[in-house]
Amino acid sequence: MKRRKFLGNALALSATGAALSAGLVTPQWAMAADAAAPAAASPFDLKALEEVLKSLNATEAKASDAIKIKAPEIAENGAVVPVAVSTTLAGVTAISLVVSNNPTPLAATFTILEGASPDVSTRIKMAKTAEVMAIVQAADGVHMAKQEVKVTLGGCGG
């Protein structure tokens, strides 16, 4: 048993030595990625609405009646605003929620797989009264719908 293992290891070692001496295996530099290079910013980190719309390719999005936003007109608590978005557009691949007056406007992005229903709901945090935009990436382009949500931080409903 030990003899077979010794012969196998000796054969492997001699084959490696022959490959090195023949130049079949050569050392090469392996370098890590440049740590000083700036990483691409996540759309969730962007502070300006225009930058977020640009990152979503939505600067020239078409307004669409096929997108339905279900959100309260008045949200008494801006920390948990329920929002639902559904659409009848064909070939939807993503739905994003953008809040115009938030410090980081992109609130959520949902990836819609083929065959799935483009119907999403979540709760978002809103700093103050703003427009909630639903941006839908569909087969024929980018579409958008908006709805204003008034936030009353005091919870008085007025």
Side-chain angles (χ1 to χ4, degrees):
M1 197 65 121
K2 289 183 178 181
R3 181 173 179 248
R4 288 185 182 184
K5 189 173 183 177
F6 172 77
L7 289 175
N9 288 342
L11 182 61
L13 185 62
S14 64
T16 303
L20 283 171
S21 64
L24 296 175
V25 179
T26 59
Q28 295 184 0
W29 289 99
M31 308 272 299
D34 187 7
S42 167
F44 289 100
D45 296 332
L46 298 175
K47 306 284 185 202
L49 178 62
E50 294 77 25
E51 292 175 352
V52 171
L53 294 177
K54 186 177 177 182
S55 73
L56 296 173
N57 297 323
T59 53
E60 297 183 17
K62 300 174 256 181
S64 176
D65 293 335
I67 302 170
K68 302 295 180 205
I69 300 175
K70 185 177 177 185
E73 290 182 21
I74 298 174
E76 294 186 4
N77 184 0
V80 284
V81 179
V83 177
V85 177
S86 62
T87 181
T88 57
L89 292 169
V92 174
T93 57
I95 297 174
S96 298
L97 291 172
V98 177
V99 181
S100 62
N101 288 340
N102 271 6
T104 52
L106 182 58
T109 294
F110 300 90
T111 301
I112 309 296
L113 299 178
E114 186 177 336
S117 174
D119 187 357
V120 298
S121 64
T122 188
R123 293 174 186 255
I124 61 173
K125 191 172 186 178
M126 296 180 65
K128 54 187 174 182
T129 298
E131 282 188 325
V132 174
M133 294 179 263
I135 297 171
V136 175
Q137 312 275 339
D140 62 341
V142 181
H143 301 268
M144 178 189 302
K146 300 177 183 179
Q147 179 180 333
E148 184 178 73
V149 176
K150 295 178 181 173
V151 175
T152 58
L153 297 176
C156 60

